[in-house]
Amino acid sequence: MVTDRSSAGDPARTLALLWGGGGVPSGRRGPRQARTVPEIAAAAIGLADAEGVGAVTMRAVAQRLGLSPMALYTYVPGKAELLDLMLDTVYAAMPRRTPADGGWRARAAAVADDNAALYAAHPWVAEVATGRPPLGPGLMAKYEYELRALEGLGLGDVETDAALSFVLGFVQSCARAAADERAAEQESAMSDEQWWAGNADLLAKVFDPERFPTAARIGTAASEAHGAASSAAHAYAFGLARVLDGLAALDRAPDGRPSDGPSDGPTGGSGRASGA
């Protein structure tokens, strides 16, 4: 269950923090600040990368920085605002690629791959609910870039926003599936292939292939192809191509013909995107 949400703090303080207005206005004189807001964001992100977003508390971040928890509050109002700062910081630092061919399909695939790379580097980001996103400079730069990637698709403004949400929602779903794979491997100390091999005899005792012939045939083929019941990387590559095919169905060139039709790969050719 998602328990961490962006924009859960005080809006005025959050926006002041994200846009350079500082942390908590105190109205009183105090000791000279020994840390910067970017240093605090980096410490919190490092903690989340290593231990998950649940490990990020004001006390834990303060300890990483050699501060007292009360001192940290002079920079950041609280955990909710800190989470927005963390998100906006990783958004601002995202690598953004612009494919040489300039077609919308290649640009949209690049947007998907860039977000997949973000989740791979910072898995905790996929766990945060962002229905009310932190409207900081990092997010706005990301949103602007990603909307421009869909220019030329022939959609209206509302449809363009929905198309971007469609692409990003798919990537986030794949990122969560990949995180589940990693978590299962860590908890069991076995890869998926090892786990299935170790439990094959138990499954054979209860599973009747004559009763479930389609599941037996296709499940066997998939497990042989992936070395497990499923593959997050394969699901990402296959699904992204289908997502782009779906957007292509909305695309119309001035002469009324689709300007970029379905393909075997997400970029319009036979190339495969990297897994989430």
Side-chain angles (χ1 to χ4, degrees):
M1 177 182 294
V2 174
T3 56
D4 292 285
R5 300 182 180 277
S6 61
S7 295
D10 181 90
R13 290 184 167 188
T14 298
L15 290 175
L17 179 68
L18 298 182
W19 289 92
V24 181
S26 64
R28 65 179 185 274
R29 301 185 66 178
R32 182 176 63 86
Q33 291 188 320
R35 294 290 183 174
T36 66
V37 169
E39 287 176 332
I40 293 168
I45 291 167
L47 183 59
D49 291 346
E51 302 180 35
V53 71
V56 178
T57 64
M58 296 295 280
R59 179 176 296 278
V61 174
Q63 289 176 343
R64 277 202 162 207
L65 293 165
L67 299 173
S68 69
M70 290 306 297
L72 185 59
Y73 281 103
T74 66
Y75 297 87
V76 180
K79 166 69 181 291
E81 293 83 1
L82 176 60
L83 181 60
D84 285 348
L85 176 64
M86 294 163 60
L87 287 170
D88 205 65
T89 299
V90 297
Y91 291 155
M94 282 180 66
R96 298 186 178 101
R97 300 174 296 107
T98 302
D101 72 5
W104 73 260
R105 190 177 184 109
R107 294 196 304 268
V111 165
D113 287 347
D114 290 345
N115 279 273
L118 171 71
Y119 291 129
H122 309 289
W124 55 272
V125 175
E127 302 173 16
V128 179
T130 55
R132 295 179 178 177
L135 300 180
L139 173 67
M140 296 311 298
K142 179 179 186 289
Y143 186 50
E144 175 76 13
Y145 168 79
E146 292 171 349
L147 289 173
R148 288 181 178 273
L150 298 177
E151 288 182 344
L153 184 53
L155 301 179
D157 289 349
V158 175
E159 289 178 314
T160 298
D161 178 77
L164 177 59
S165 295
F166 180 46
V167 172
L168 298 184
F170 163 77
V171 177
Q172 185 181 47
S173 177
C174 287
R176 287 174 173 168
D180 289 343
E181 277 191 2
R182 291 191 298 270
E185 289 188 4
Q186 291 173 356
E187 291 171 5
S188 66
M190 292 186 289
S191 67
D192 274 1
E193 186 173 6
Q194 292 170 328
W195 189 90
W196 283 103
N199 291 281
D201 291 342
L202 293 174
L203 181 61
K205 292 179 180 179
V206 297
F207 181 74
D208 182 1
E210 293 185 359
R211 183 181 179 187
F212 307 106
T214 307
R217 187 186 78 251
I218 294 178
T220 298
S223 63
E224 289 176 351
H226 306 313
S230 63
S231 164
H234 179 268
Y236 175 81
F238 180 87
L240 178 57
R242 306 293 80 78
V243 166
L244 298 180
D245 287 347
L247 294 182
L250 304 176
D251 182 22
R252 291 295 180 270
D255 60 5
R257 294 178 301 174
S259 62
D260 195 352
S263 73
D264 292 332
T267 60
S270 60
R272 308 292 286 183
S274 61

